[in-house]
């Protein structure tokens, strides 16, 4: 079963959105090289402070390996510090 992860969140202002995008570049580049990654993108919403990570993984094992990876465990806590309010995380499994 493939895994699709959509994580939508808001940051305080456009400056924080730019910081997230800068940090996300390295996360995205390294994540796309991981075994089992089919896609990994960051989108900006209709408001500059709304951001969405969209990831697709070959299976749940690949996704679990990703969240344990050094680049994820190093970069994502920094991004999480900039999030305001609740993060809307949706994980879907499909064939």
């Amino acid at each position: 079963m493939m895994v699709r992860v959509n994580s939508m969140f808001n940051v305080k202002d456009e400056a924080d959105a730019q910081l997230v995008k800068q940090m996300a570049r390295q996360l995205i580049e390294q994540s796309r090289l991981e075994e089992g990654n089919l896609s990994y993108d960051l989108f900006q919403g209709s408001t500059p402070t709304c951001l969405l990570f969209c990831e697709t993984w070959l299976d749940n094992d690949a996704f679990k390996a990703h969240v344990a990876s050094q680049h994820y465990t190093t970069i994502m806590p920094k991004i999480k510090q900039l999030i305001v309010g609740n993060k809307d995380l949706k994980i879907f499994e499909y064939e």
Side-chain angles (χ1 to χ4, degrees), residues 32-85:
R32 286 178 177 169
L33 297 174
E34 289 181 58
E35 186 175 332
N37 179 261
L38 303 175
S39 68
Y40 204 107
D41 299 288
L42 177 67
F43 299 98
Q44 193 164 19
S46 56
T47 60
T49 58
C50 179
L51 300 163
L52 170 68
F53 277 110
C54 294
E55 314 166 30
T56 306
W57 298 92
L58 185 61
D59 55 31
N60 202 38
D61 289 340
F63 175 62
K64 286 180 181 179
H66 165 64
V67 297
S69 68
Q70 183 177 358
H71 53 272
Y72 182 90
T73 58
T74 301
I75 298 169
M76 193 52 71
K78 295 174 186 175
I79 290 174
K80 286 180 180 177
Q81 290 179 349
L82 298 174
I83 294 175
V84 294

Side-chain angles (χ1 to χ4, degrees), residues 1-51:
M1 292 282 241
M2 286 191 277
V3 176
R4 174 67 176 203
V5 179
N6 292 337
S7 178
M8 186 181 309
F9 57 95
N10 288 287
V11 294
K12 180 178 61 177
D13 53 32
E14 289 185 49
D16 282 355
Q18 290 301 320
L19 285 172
V20 169
K21 288 193 273 187
Q22 285 176 335
M23 288 186 276
R25 275 195 267 288
Q26 182 181 5
L27 177 64
I28 291 167
E29 287 174 10
Q30 293 180 5
S31 298
R32 286 178 177 169
L33 297 174
E34 289 181 58
E35 186 175 332
N37 179 261
L38 303 175
S39 68
Y40 204 107
D41 299 288
L42 177 67
F43 299 98
Q44 193 164 19
S46 56
T47 60
T49 58
C50 179
L51 300 163

